[in-house]
Amino acid sequence: TYSMGVPLLKNSNDNSSAIENPPTRASLQDSFDYIIELLSSSLEIIDDSRTGSEFITEQGVWAMLARVYQYTENWELAKDAAIMAESLGGSMSTSLEFIPNMTTRFNDESIFEIFTDENDNLGTSCLAYYAFKSVNAVGRIDVNSIGYGDYGASNAFKNLFSSKDIRLDLFKEDKKSSPSSLPGEAGYSDRAYHKFIGIESELIHNVAYIRLPEVLLIAAEAYSEMPGNDVDALMYLNKVFSARADST
């Protein structure tokens, strides 16, 4: 079903000729191969002096390669790329740091972020606007409310978390709604999930393109897909879990 990729215009001549001779869609495999080619070749020319996650760095390229190899199920290369990305720096946020870091640009978990601030004026186009829905002083939506509030967490989903799970603090009560009247049905809560939402305000945030926890979980998945590597898979999984676990 998903055999087709995108039109590939690899040079200026391809781009010029496309006006008169529109290109056909390449195969999905050719599209992946070209992405891998571009990322791999960039490692030879990337500026090593730029190390912050506001830039696409060598670490960022390895992390993106790990993701592409994960998508293509090339587990050996996904594992190698993820381990290389991990070796180039960064650290997991502890449970105490986790919530503050969600509203901190370029924290130690960040590998590459797309920066936005109030000057970018994303307004209704920002990710937060879809999740956020403000309410008035009595907890109801009125003409001054902002945000679409298009999705939220059900009570059934929230109840899957243990009481000490630090991620519970990312559920924010933005929108009030009536519980289900049907027996045994949890209905919808008033909780939006506010991960990476809110720096200068609720509606201003960076887009975290790839982070260290994702790289570690790619390594864990890659090891788990290769026979005989369950110990290594569990080790990488626990690098994320142990950092997030509540020490109390």
Side-chain angles (χ1 to χ4, degrees):
T1 304
Y2 301 101
S3 61
M4 301 305 294
V6 298
L8 298 180
L9 303 176
K10 298 184 179 182
N11 52 54
S12 58
N13 290 333
D14 288 346
N15 190 57
S16 300
S17 62
I19 298 174
E20 295 182 358
N21 300 300
T24 58
R25 293 175 66 179
S27 71
L28 183 59
Q29 186 60 55
D30 285 343
S31 299
F32 275 126
D33 288 345
Y34 189 47
I35 293 170
I36 292 169
E37 177 188 333
L38 291 174
L39 289 171
S40 299
S41 62
S42 72
L43 289 169
E44 302 173 7
I45 59 174
I46 202 161
D47 185 351
D48 293 336
S49 67
R50 293 185 171 184
T51 57
S53 55
E54 66 268 37
F55 303 110
I56 297 179
T57 61
E58 179 184 358
Q59 183 183 31
V61 174
W62 281 113
M64 285 184 273
L65 275 169
R67 181 188 282 170
V68 176
Y69 289 134
Q70 176 197 33
Y71 288 168
T72 58
E73 299 185 359
N74 192 326
W75 302 118
E76 186 72 38
L77 291 178
K79 178 260 297 180
D80 291 343
I83 291 174
M84 179 61 75
E86 180 198 13
S87 73
L88 293 173
S91 61
M92 290 288 300
S93 299
T94 65
S95 59
L96 293 177
E97 298 167 335
F98 179 71
I99 300 300
N101 278 353
M102 290 304 98
T103 53
T104 300
R105 291 188 174 94
F106 313 122
N107 62 60
D108 287 342
E109 285 191 356
S110 176
I111 293 178
F112 175 53
E113 290 183 23
I114 300 172
F115 177 85
T116 63
D117 64 13
E118 62 271 21
N119 296 316
D120 295 303
N121 192 27
L122 294 179
T124 58
S125 297
C126 71
L127 176 63
Y129 209 85
Y130 291 87
F132 184 73
K133 187 69 179 181
S134 66
V135 294
N136 60 25
V138 295
R140 295 295 173 185
I141 298 169
D142 60 23
V143 294
N144 297 312
S145 296
I146 59 172
Y148 297 129
D150 277 349
Y151 59 89
S154 68
N155 290 324
F157 177 75
K158 181 177 175 289
N159 289 337
L160 294 174
F161 293 77
S162 74
S163 61
K164 291 186 176 182
D165 196 312
I166 54 177
R167 293 172 297 179
L168 285 175
D169 289 339
L170 291 174
F171 290 99
K172 191 173 182 68
E173 295 186 1
D174 295 329
K175 186 171 68 170
K176 301 294 181 183
S177 58
S178 300
S180 172
S181 60
L182 299 176
E185 189 171 303
Y188 291 97
S189 74
D190 48 8
R191 301 174 185 91
Y193 191 54
H194 277 218
K195 190 173 185 178
F196 307 116
I197 294 177
I199 297 179
E200 283 86 358
S201 78
E202 292 285 357
L203 301 180
I204 297 173
H205 61 91
N206 282 11
V207 177
Y209 186 79
I210 196 161
R211 302 179 304 120
L212 181 61
E214 181 179 353
V215 165
L216 299 176
L217 293 175
I218 289 173
E221 181 180 0
Y223 271 122
S224 72
E225 293 288 346
M226 297 186 292
N229 289 280
D230 288 350
V231 172
D232 289 316
L234 187 60
M235 178 188 70
Y236 273 92
L237 184 64
N238 281 333
K239 286 186 178 187
V240 178
F241 176 79
S242 60
R244 295 286 190 260
D246 189 334
S247 60
T248 62

